[in-house]
Amino acid sequence: MLITLTEAANRIKAANKILITSHVQPDGDAIGSTLATLLMLRALGKHAQVFIDDSVRKNLQALPHFEEIRRPVDGEKFDADLLLILDTSPDRIGNVRKLTDAPVLNVDHHVTNKNDSGDLYVEHEAAATCEIVYKLARELDAPISPDVATCLYTGLATDTGFFQFSNTRAETLAVASELIKCGVKPNFISEQMEKKSLAEVKGLAAALNSLEMFYDDKVAGMTIDYATAKTFDSTEGFIDEIRVIDTVDVAFLITERAPNLCRVSMRSKGVDVSQIANKLGGGGHIRAAGCTLKMPLTEAEKILVAAIGEAI
């Protein structure tokens, strides 16, 4: 059921034990929004805990209170009266759903979120879920400490390409400004998010060597096979290296994370890639989206290229 931001705040006010989670393959907005919410709710006297059913890349482990995040264990249960899902729909939280049967409150900004299994507040215009969490903090009259502000700013910065993408609005920059006033150090966040291991730099070189162009150079794609992918834990920023090609409208990266399991990321300048991802079982934003294809790398590339071709 679609609800308002005030109604979402009221659901949180009424709960005492809150399980907070986000999607597998968590990014800066997922980790930033969950950690910020955790700290805010604890400051309000709530019993809250973050569970993420996946590993988290090293860059994000520099965020305040990262060590508070737990990963679910088989058979584990968590006594909660509210399951708060941020930055995704319930079908992408993995085994966290097995931890509790508590009612669901879903807060998100993805246009593809059609959750009908609980209360949903979705704001498609928001640049990041962290932007919504900032507004939620104001509704809850929750304190925004420097640690909370740092987590929220990270989500804003990473989901907007450090305020370069088309989803950056005046309101987004206004929220970022308020967070800086609360104690954020933008240089610290940018330095942490830009860090790459030697293995990741070598992985980028391998990805660039795989570059192929399609549809009169309107589409650029890279692939990373399993042998290469298993040597590092993040491909963050790889796709931006080809998105900037002047003729390109759609860029994609396919990473073979396991045999017959491929992660797809897409970026665009005009095409709605969220619709492409949605048809392939994924989702995301109009200009940035992704999906998982359970098939070999070569087959995944063939299917994705065909789907992009239909869209353009």
Side-chain angles (χ1 to χ4, degrees), residues 102-269:
V104 170
L105 172 59
N106 192 183
V107 175
D108 194 11
H109 71 127
H110 292 98
V111 68
T112 52
N113 191 333
K114 307 298 183 185
N115 171 29
D116 57 3
S117 62
D119 292 327
L120 170 65
Y121 176 74
V122 60
E123 187 177 329
H124 302 149
E125 297 81 11
T129 297
C130 280
E131 187 176 318
I132 302 172
V133 171
Y134 173 82
K135 297 177 185 178
L136 196 56
R138 296 308 189 199
E139 286 281 341
L140 292 167
D141 198 24
I144 299 181
S145 66
D147 283 351
V148 169
T150 296
C151 293
L152 292 178
Y153 186 94
T154 298
L156 279 182
T158 53
D159 255 24
T160 60
F162 284 84
F163 310 104
Q164 297 179 77
F165 296 162
S166 61
N167 60 343
T168 304
R169 305 175 299 152
E171 187 172 0
T172 308
L173 295 174
V175 171
S177 176
E178 290 302 314
L179 294 174
I180 291 172
K181 292 176 185 177
C182 291
V184 168
K185 296 180 179 178
N187 63 303
F188 167 78
I189 295 170
S190 62
E191 288 165 7
Q192 291 300 320
M193 296 306 108
E194 289 171 355
K195 283 183 179 178
K196 285 183 172 59
S197 67
L198 177 59
E200 286 168 348
V201 173
K202 290 181 176 179
L204 173 58
L208 288 170
N209 281 334
S210 74
L211 174 63
E212 291 184 83
M213 306 297 291
F214 306 91
Y215 304 114
D216 297 324
D217 295 342
K218 294 177 183 177
V219 177
M222 300 187 297
T223 57
I224 301 176
D225 61 26
Y226 176 59
T228 303
K230 69 181 180 180
T231 64
F232 56 90
D233 65 359
S234 175
T235 59
E236 186 70 20
F238 283 20
I239 198 169
D240 295 322
E241 299 295 329
I242 60 172
R243 183 184 62 85
V244 298
I245 297 172
D246 57 358
T247 61
V248 167
D249 187 1
V250 178
F252 70 80
L253 171 67
I254 308 176
T255 307
E256 191 176 33
R257 282 297 177 188
N260 298 321
L261 180 66
C262 296
R263 307 287 193 187
V264 175
S265 295
M266 290 180 283
R267 300 289 185 273
S268 84
K269 297 170 185 172

Side-chain angles (χ1 to χ4, degrees), residues 8-75:
N10 288 337
R11 301 289 194 279
I12 292 172
K13 288 176 182 177
N16 291 309
K17 299 178 180 179
I18 303 172
L19 193 165
I20 308 164
T21 192
S22 189
H23 53 83
V24 295
Q25 278 196 292
D27 57 8
D29 197 23
I31 299 301
S33 62
T34 53
L35 283 177
T37 302
L38 173 74
L39 299 176
M40 284 168 15
L41 295 186
R42 287 183 176 175
L44 293 173
K46 307 287 187 183
H47 177 62
Q49 179 62 53
V50 175
F51 282 88
I52 301 288
D53 190 21
D54 208 342
S55 57
V56 179
R57 69 176 192 267
K58 291 180 181 178
N59 308 59
L60 296 172
Q61 294 178 22
L63 288 182
H65 297 267
F66 169 81
E67 70 281 358
E68 302 271 7
I69 297 176
R70 293 172 57 186
R71 190 165 184 176
V73 177
D74 285 346

